Amino acid sequence: MSKNSADKLDVAISINDPTSSNTPTDTLKHRYIQIVFAVLLYWLVSITMVFLNKYLLSSKDVKLDAPLFITWYQCVVTVATCGLLGSLNKSVNVLSKFPSFKIDLKIARDVLPLSVMFVAMMIFNNLTLKYLSVSFYMVGRSLTTVANVVFTYVMLGERTSYQALSCCALIIAGFFLGIDQEHSLGTLSIFGALCGVASSVFVALNAIYTTRCLPCVDKNVWRLCLYNNFNACFLFLPLMLIFNEVPTIYSYPKLFDLSFLFTMTVAGLLGFSMGYVTGYQIQITSPLTHNVSGTAKSYVQTLVAVVAYAETKTSLWWLSNIFVLGGSGLFAHVRAVEMKQKHSSNTSSDNNSHVPVSK
């Protein structure tokens, strides 16, 4: 049953059942409260996670130059959380749909290509956040939509409409205008900007490989999350050795400090929670509303960062943000309209195919 059907059923029960105290107005009000709660929860978890990761990666209080270790720890926390929730799924009703903690090495091997993309995405996400300001983080990683269009054509053979490509052009213009303005303000890290481009590439690849690997885990997102992070825990280990982070970690004086470990663990739990709050927002609203909410959240995050860090930005810098956000929002709208038209066209074709031919 669709969400709209469920809503209609709730309204019908409220009208027909004399014992029910709920009215259609009450049901609609409850629906609005659910939507507002879902959006605010998504914003809160997402924005808090970005600022907390920024604190861990480049704060003068932490002073730990080991971004791979920080990311690895968050993957360990995710696997541990999956294990805990999986062990409670039979005793706690709320967790009844959460999969039991079980590692099948064959499935782990099948998911490995996705895990490689996932690890690369996580690394470049955090390096972008480490070397760019939080206020520029959104623009720095704004080419994800463009990369998605490129890879869906190269790997899947899917073409993109000229309207959607025009939206991509607006995003690209905003990205380069933002780079120019960050440079003029003296706050641009070229390495950070390159990491942002790499992050966009691997976010797009991660989305494509996620679609490919979901059948390996019976299309269960939480099982995919478990196997992805399980593989990542091992993939990060040689990388920490190659990039010589082990001596830095070993000599870090706060490694077993409770405050540091608490902050690291909270960051890991927030990362795990993002999967839930994203799915919850889509379930309560729609994929399009989720995209619009994500775009609005990015702008709020930028505003909060500018105020929190007392930054001064030029008019053109703000214009670059408007280009990126506008292009992203318009792209989501264009694709939604195209999907609706395609669905209507397929429905009409199906209906026509069942019309009896007169003799």
Side-chain angles (χ1 to χ4, degrees):
M1 180 182 289
S2 67
K3 288 186 291 184
N4 291 337
S5 300
D7 291 344
K8 292 174 183 176
L9 181 61
D10 288 341
V11 174
I13 291 171
S14 299
I15 295 173
N16 298 329
D17 186 0
T19 62
S20 174
S21 59
N22 293 331
T23 65
T25 304
D26 292 335
T27 304
L28 188 61
K29 183 179 179 182
H30 177 69
R31 178 71 175 161
Y32 285 146
I33 291 173
Q34 276 188 317
I35 292 172
V36 171
F37 176 75
V39 171
L40 291 180
L41 182 64
Y42 172 77
W43 285 23
L44 178 65
V45 172
S46 181
I47 293 175
T48 304
M49 185 179 69
V50 169
F51 278 91
L52 192 57
N53 276 331
K54 179 65 175 178
Y55 172 79
L56 288 169
L57 290 163
S58 55
S59 168
K60 293 180 180 179
D61 295 331
V62 177
K63 293 182 180 178
L64 175 60
D65 189 18
L68 297 176
F69 168 72
I70 292 172
T71 311
W72 169 82
Y73 185 89
Q74 293 177 4
C75 292
V76 172
V77 170
T78 297
V79 173
T81 305
C82 287
L84 177 63
L85 297 181
S87 65
L88 297 174
N89 63 355
K90 293 180 180 179
S91 55
V92 180
N93 290 333
V94 179
L95 303 174
S96 59
K97 294 184 179 180
F98 200 90
S100 298
F101 184 81
K102 181 184 177 182
I103 299 296
D104 185 326
L105 294 180
K106 182 183 181 303
I107 296 177
R109 184 188 64 196
D110 293 340
V111 175
L112 188 59
L114 169 63
S115 300
V116 172
M117 300 301 162
F118 174 72
V119 166
M121 178 189 74
M122 293 274 285
I123 290 172
F124 286 112
N125 272 355
N126 280 350
L127 286 176
T128 303
L129 192 56
K130 179 178 175 65
Y131 291 101
L132 294 181
S133 63
V134 175
S135 58
F136 192 63
Y137 181 62
M138 183 266 297
V139 173
R141 296 173 60 251
S142 61
L143 296 181
T144 299
T145 301
V146 179
N148 208 353
V149 167
V150 172
F151 286 122
T152 50
Y153 175 73
V154 173
M155 299 176 67
L156 305 177
E158 295 181 10
R159 294 181 177 273
T160 305
S161 68
Y162 289 114
Q163 292 93 331
L165 290 175
S166 299
C167 299
C168 290
L170 189 61
I171 294 171
I172 294 170
F175 173 78
F176 282 107
L177 179 60
I179 291 288
D180 175 72
Q181 290 304 298
E182 280 287 299
H183 178 69
S184 67
L185 291 168
T187 54
L188 177 67
S189 164
I190 298 297
F191 179 72
L194 292 174
C195 287
V197 175
S199 171
S200 299
V201 168
F202 284 107
V203 167
L205 286 172
N206 183 73
I208 292 172
Y209 275 89
T210 295
T211 304
R212 289 183 173 182
C213 291
L214 266 172
C216 300
V217 291
D218 301 322
K219 296 188 177 181
N220 188 305
V221 176
W222 289 116
R223 286 187 72 199
L224 187 63
C225 173
L226 169 61
Y227 279 102
N228 218 2
N229 283 274
F230 175 79
N231 286 340
C233 289
F234 293 98
L235 291 173
F236 271 112
L237 295 177
L239 292 174
M240 285 190 281
L241 289 171
I242 292 170
F243 290 96
N244 204 34
E245 284 195 0
V246 175
T248 303
I249 298 165
Y250 183 75
S251 60
Y252 185 60
K254 297 181 181 179
L255 185 60
F256 298 104
D257 183 82
L258 290 179
S259 176
F260 170 72
L261 290 175
F262 176 76
T263 306
M264 289 272 284
T265 303
V266 170
L269 291 173
L270 287 172
F272 172 82
S273 301
M274 274 303 297
Y276 172 77
V277 297
T278 299
Y280 180 66
Q281 180 173 243
I282 293 172
Q283 179 185 3
I284 295 298
T285 59
S286 68
L288 176 59
T289 304
H290 169 67
N291 288 333
V292 173
S293 172
T295 302
K297 186 274 304 182
S298 296
Y299 197 72
V300 171
Q301 179 178 291
T302 300
L303 288 172
V304 171
V306 170
V307 173
Y309 297 114
E311 298 173 349
T312 302
K313 303 298 183 183
T314 64
S315 298
L316 288 176
W317 186 93
W318 287 108
L319 184 62
S320 72
N321 280 262
I322 293 172
F323 277 5
V324 167
L325 290 167
S328 300
L330 286 172
F331 181 88
H333 173 70
V334 168
R335 292 305 293 264
V337 170
E338 290 174 352
M339 287 176 65
K340 187 175 181 180
Q341 289 174 345
K342 185 178 180 180
H343 176 73
S344 299
S345 176
N346 290 339
T347 303
S348 299
S349 299
D350 290 341
N351 290 337
N352 291 335
S353 65
H354 289 91
V355 175
V357 179
S358 58
K359 295 181 180 181

